[in-house]
Amino acid sequence: MFPKFSQIKTEARQGLSGIWSQAAWKEFIVCLVRGETTVAACIIEAIYAIILLVWINTTTDAKPLVAGITNTIVLVTILVHLIISLVRNGFASGMKIGLNHYYLELAENPRVQPRSGCFSHVIYFINQFTLSFIKDFYTALLTCLCIIPGIISQTKWGMAEFVIAEEPDTKASEAMTESSNMMEGLKMKLFLFNLSFIPLWLISIPTLIGPFYVQAYWHASLAKFYYYIKHPIVDKNAVNKLKSLEAEKFSFDDFLTEYEEKVAQKQKSKK
């Protein structure tokens, strides 16, 4: 039995009580390091820029010297932008593992302040970096083709980051496969769960610092979502019913055993 969204959010708020500003600060640091541009987006931009450059060179009558200088400037700019993005996203990926682990600790035991920090799992950055690249690339590609497949892929792999945070040695492909298995029957729930935070995002944008608090709230709630997938709530009524059925089964078995013994004793007495 999966809990209601309101219960997940309430428990996330209770966990963040007293450390909400700390969580928002961590979100700010990761966002500052990572920036707004992903590696996949940089590569798509680079491909688009190169295609545009080739088209301009083949359709205009620019002088060779001017065209050569322009091409060099554009290519160097693309290369520098891509290298900076790789470095920033690589380092931010390691920080993100620590941040996800921070929220997992909060989800498992809200009463104890998490010990993990942004820099506690940086050395495992390669798995998170690979995961982020594959997710962003495929989601961007599928969204360009059609919005719905992009949404499905995003929800299908929505728990992969927490899988890596829980087991940093997990490869990106393994984390994505495990997330796909976990999200069977829950994709729509996760999609609607994420949509429920949009009003908060819209309200918080004018405050400048508000989005980082909302991000912390969403992140903590998502960790709780993952926690309940891994540790589903047991329906007490179903358990009690099962116990009663087992008790009836055992009593029926005892009755059969006793009946067979009585039949055997009667047969012996007749002999």
Side-chain angles (χ1 to χ4, degrees), residues 12-82:
R13 288 195 301 270
Q14 290 173 350
L16 286 169
S17 178
I19 59 169
W20 208 318
S21 296
Q22 181 191 81
W25 175 248
K26 291 178 185 293
E27 295 285 355
F28 172 74
I29 292 173
V30 173
C31 181
L32 190 66
V33 173
R34 183 176 184 266
E36 292 301 322
T37 307
T38 64
V39 177
C42 283
I43 291 174
I44 292 171
E45 288 173 8
I47 294 170
Y48 174 75
I50 291 170
I51 293 172
L52 185 63
L53 202 61
V54 171
W55 180 77
I56 291 171
N57 287 329
T58 54
T59 56
T60 59
D61 297 327
K63 295 181 180 180
L65 180 61
V66 176
I69 294 172
T70 304
N71 292 345
T72 303
I73 292 172
V74 171
L75 291 174
V76 169
T77 303
I78 291 171
L79 185 61
V80 171
H81 183 50
L82 188 58

Side-chain angles (χ1 to χ4, degrees), residues 94-235:
M95 294 174 66
K96 202 167 184 181
I97 297 176
L99 188 62
N100 287 332
H101 200 273
Y102 173 87
Y103 287 113
L104 283 179
E105 288 183 15
L106 195 66
E108 290 174 4
N109 196 347
R111 297 181 181 179
V112 179
Q113 186 171 349
R115 295 182 180 180
S116 296
C118 291
F119 303 99
S120 58
H121 294 75
V122 174
I123 58 173
Y124 300 104
F125 77 95
I126 191 66
N127 290 332
Q128 177 65 37
F129 177 79
T130 307
L131 173 65
S132 298
F133 174 77
I134 295 172
K135 272 182 63 180
D136 293 341
F137 184 80
Y138 274 104
T139 301
L141 185 64
L142 290 171
T143 304
C144 289
L145 296 173
C146 186
I147 295 175
I148 294 175
I151 294 172
I152 292 173
S153 67
Q154 191 68 21
T155 53
K156 182 172 68 173
W157 300 324
M159 298 293 116
E161 291 185 354
F162 289 111
V163 173
I164 289 180
E166 201 166 35
E167 294 291 338
D169 292 328
T170 306
K171 294 180 180 178
S173 57
E174 295 173 353
M176 292 171 75
T177 302
E178 187 172 344
S179 178
S180 298
N181 295 334
M182 291 171 65
M183 292 307 297
E184 284 294 330
L186 293 172
K187 296 184 189 71
M188 182 57 71
K189 276 186 180 292
L190 181 59
F191 175 67
L192 295 175
F193 183 73
N194 289 332
L195 281 183
S196 67
F197 285 90
I198 290 179
L200 288 175
W201 288 109
L202 296 175
I203 294 170
S204 67
I205 288 172
T207 64
L208 298 180
I209 62 170
F212 298 107
Y213 282 84
V214 177
Q215 176 74 6
Y217 178 32
W218 170 78
H219 217 151
S221 301
L222 197 63
K224 204 70 185 179
F225 193 101
Y226 173 82
Y227 176 80
Y228 278 121
I229 294 175
K230 297 279 286 187
H231 307 89
I233 297 174
V234 178
D235 188 347

Side-chain angles (χ1 to χ4, degrees), residues 252-268:
F252 183 69
D253 290 342
D254 293 338
F255 169 76
L256 284 178
T257 304
E258 187 178 351
Y259 177 76
E260 289 174 355
E261 289 176 354
K262 286 181 179 180
V263 170
Q265 287 177 358
K266 285 182 180 179
Q267 288 178 350
K268 287 181 181 178

